Amino acid sequence: MADVAGGIRAFGVAGGVARGVYAALRTRRDGRFERENYGGRTVDLYSGPAVALGALAGAATLSAPRARAAGLLAVGAGALCGAYDDVRGDHRRGFRAHLAALRGGEVTSGAVKLIGIGGAGLVAGALLKERPLDKVLAGIVVAGTAHFVNLIDLRPGRATGAVLALGAVGLWRGAAAGVPMGAAAAVLADDLGERTMIGDGGAHALGAALGVALAEGAGRGGLVVGAVGVLGVAGWGEWGVLGG
């Protein structure tokens, strides 16, 4: 049976912290935290650290020790690696481009995300599940969902809206889904209003939290479906990027 009270608590804490952090940060004007969005409009990046801190706070309230540890690890890694890409990212896109650079001795921001988020996802999966195969599948779901949310963050509200929709599907299975939902809901209006963007840091943090929630509540069949799904999306994204 779902921990309804725990889900409500996680949603409220994550949302409250995310909203408070964003409200505090947006009073500052700093060009380093501004970007031009797809329509040429200048927006801030403050919602990225806001949703990351909100998700961390929400994960810390989870009563299940495994979900709490997995959430803190995955969200923290997603936020840090994604924020590094926000600051140090370059023009290269696609896993193959970053892996080719890595083979040449260059550590790109994409390689940092691939190794950091991928590794953290596998450790999170190992924390969530008991059987070896389930651990690996859960890790793929966590890391893959983080990548998925970042991949679709191309228009206002697309990533935050997807997190809310997918989180609602898993909410009845466990309290962990309240974590990404609360953080995403806190900045959804500003995201849709083109006042802010969550950036790679926020997208990976929300995606990692969502992946933990989905993996935690899934059995073997659900994990297989989830892993195949996120790998398929990653392949589609790679083809889409490289194929123009």
Side-chain angles (χ1 to χ4, degrees), residues 5 8 30 44 48 53 59-60 71 87 110 115 117 136-137 163 170 187-188 212 226 235 240:
I8 293 173
D30 190 332
D44 67 58
L53 290 172
V87 175
I115 296 169
I117 298 174
V136 174
L137 290 171
V163 167
V187 300
L188 179 62
V212 168

Side-chain angles (χ1 to χ4, degrees), residues 68-119:
R68 183 170 64 246
L72 290 171
L73 173 65
V75 171
L80 289 174
C81 294
Y84 180 78
D85 193 47
D86 284 330
V87 175
R88 300 292 298 272
D90 56 34
H91 65 282
R92 282 167 288 197
R93 296 292 183 267
F95 291 138
R96 282 187 283 180
H98 292 291
L99 289 174
L102 190 61
R103 286 194 297 270
E106 181 184 3
V107 181
T108 65
S109 59
V112 169
K113 291 196 301 181
L114 180 61
I115 296 169
I117 298 174

